[in-house]
Amino acid sequence: MISWPSPINPWDSRWILHTVLDLRHSRHYTSAESLRLNRKAAQGLGIGIMTSEQNIIDRSYMRRALELAVSARGRTSPNPMVGAVLVKDGRVVGEGFHAFAGSDHAECVAVRDAQGQARGATLYVNLEPCCHYGKTPPCVELIIGAGVSRVVAACQDPNPAVNGKGIEALQAAGIGVEVGCLADEAARLNEAFFTHMQLGRPFVLMKVASSLDGKIATRTGESRWITGESARQHVHRLRNMVDGVLVGIGTILRDDPMLTTRLGIEDQRDPARIIVDNLARLPLRAKVINRASTAPTYIAVSAMAPPARLEALEREQVQIIRVEDSPRRVSLARLLQTLAKMGLLSVMIEGGAEIYASALKEGVVDKVLMFLAPILVGGKSSASAVAGEGIDTFSQAVRLADVRIERFDSDILVEGYIRGQQQAP
């Protein structure tokens, strides 16, 4: 189980607006699992550990690195969000962040921004510098060559290609290394990347909009709109950050949604649209097949899907995902594994009730975002938020941790993490 208690939630409006917590109210947690693992690993490497007693100056510069990192949310997949700050003689001489996959890493941008002043400086970075060749050269070589004398990293990189090797390379070059400064906040910021690396699937959010009595539609099937404009705009901000949005075919047939991002801003982007469609029933003129969007539309099908339907959908530029171990029904766990291999770090499930039930049953949901409208719908035939067989006792209920509540005009958002279900599929 992954556990990162932190006062920072990278999916809430404060992170969306690219702000950080006031330092006067900051806390440095040392009891979380992520810091414990980093402490154990760092001790094995013989490097320094940041603790709550150490100078608040280090934490303040690390917060700046986190602030820089989050400015690229939704643009770096399959890479993590990373920010870097170079400090020399008590002042910032260079800073930067990783803007998108394939662009220069944060450390490189910061060194370039320092314009030759990196020698003897301290580098603050929210993730261990890489030591392997990918689309860019290893950051550790650049750091060593620039003459940086000290590196403060928030946490180790869970990528097996790094995972302590970058720290070892820096130490071997005589650079002082300290790990653990704001480790929990750094791990929470990159929770999608950590989930991808440790569980082999994307970080999964389950977004639901319901009435106070848990209904997502009336008895006639009407579902627009349960929540108000402010809450719906927040959903578009979330779409602008996640890599994919997933729905069941029932939602497509009932609502015919576009599943695009509509914020009216220049740098918005659409997530990949993923439809779980066992028998390939997706209509050829469905709005989700949006050729004006640069994001792909996928349908995940079982072995029962008719080949003729798949061929027709492919002609409409819909991409087919044939999910393994899915003879009749698509396995969400297997589908998510496939999406991870395709480079998706985060997926938001947006309906419907059967998909919600399947995702909870398969234990693939990491976080729930429940928008509650101040209305009562009632009715035995009105659709409830989560379908399935239900539970026998309250001890079997799915419980949320780190619960937060936020208001959007008259609507309320309740969000929290699901603990104890994060198992590799």
Side-chain angles (χ1 to χ4, degrees), residues 256-327:
D256 195 20
M258 291 187 289
L259 301 180
T260 53
T261 300
R262 299 185 294 279
L263 290 173
I265 59 177
E266 185 176 348
D267 63 343
Q268 72 179 26
R269 69 106 169 90
D270 295 331
R273 298 172 292 275
I274 306 141
I275 300 96
V276 178
D277 187 3
N278 297 320
L279 300 176
R281 294 186 292 156
L282 179 65
L284 300 181
R285 295 295 175 262
K287 292 179 181 177
V288 76
I289 305 175
N290 187 343
R291 296 190 178 185
S293 173
T294 57
T297 299
Y298 302 103
I299 64 165
V301 300
S302 70
M304 299 288 289
R309 284 292 302 163
L310 298 179
E311 292 174 4
L313 288 165
E314 285 180 323
R315 286 195 292 271
E316 297 298 325
Q317 299 183 7
V318 175
Q319 300 184 40
I320 312 299
I321 300 177
R322 295 171 175 83
V323 183
E324 295 180 0
D325 301 325
S326 301

Side-chain angles (χ1 to χ4, degrees), residues 216-226 254-255 377:
I216 60 174
T218 67
R219 65 181 182 181
T220 62
E222 181 182 355
S223 60
R224 295 182 177 176
W225 295 103
I226 294 174
R254 182 182 64 249
D255 299 334
V377 175

Side-chain angles (χ1 to χ4, degrees), residues 18 25 78 169 174 180 219 224-225 333 366 399 401 407:
H18 300 167
H25 305 298
R219 65 181 182 181
R224 295 182 177 176
W225 295 103
D366 299 296
R399 298 188 180 274
R407 186 166 179 171

Side-chain angles (χ1 to χ4, degrees), residues 311-360:
E311 292 174 4
L313 288 165
E314 285 180 323
R315 286 195 292 271
E316 297 298 325
Q317 299 183 7
V318 175
Q319 300 184 40
I320 312 299
I321 300 177
R322 295 171 175 83
V323 183
E324 295 180 0
D325 301 325
S326 301
R328 302 182 67 86
R329 294 177 61 87
V330 169
S331 164
L332 293 181
R334 294 300 182 191
L335 170 59
L336 290 166
Q337 279 186 320
T338 300
L339 295 175
K341 293 175 182 177
M342 293 163 56
L344 277 69
L345 298 190
S346 57
V347 170
M348 183 164 65
I349 301 176
E350 292 202 39
E354 293 290 346
I355 290 292
Y356 292 147
S358 295
L360 291 170

Side-chain angles (χ1 to χ4, degrees), residues 95-137:
E95 62 180 27
F97 63 92
H98 179 50
F100 56 88
S103 69
D104 287 338
H105 287 192
E107 300 93 328
C108 177
V109 179
V111 168
R112 185 167 60 244
D113 187 49
Q115 298 181 353
Q117 300 181 72
R119 184 165 300 279
T122 295
L123 172 68
Y124 295 89
V125 61
N126 60 290
L127 195 67
E128 174 187 3
C130 69
C131 56
H132 64 293
Y133 281 90
K135 293 183 178 180
T136 59

Side-chain angles (χ1 to χ4, degrees), residues 10 31 36 96 189 344 369:
S31 59
R36 184 185 68 79
L189 172 65
L344 277 69
L369 299 95

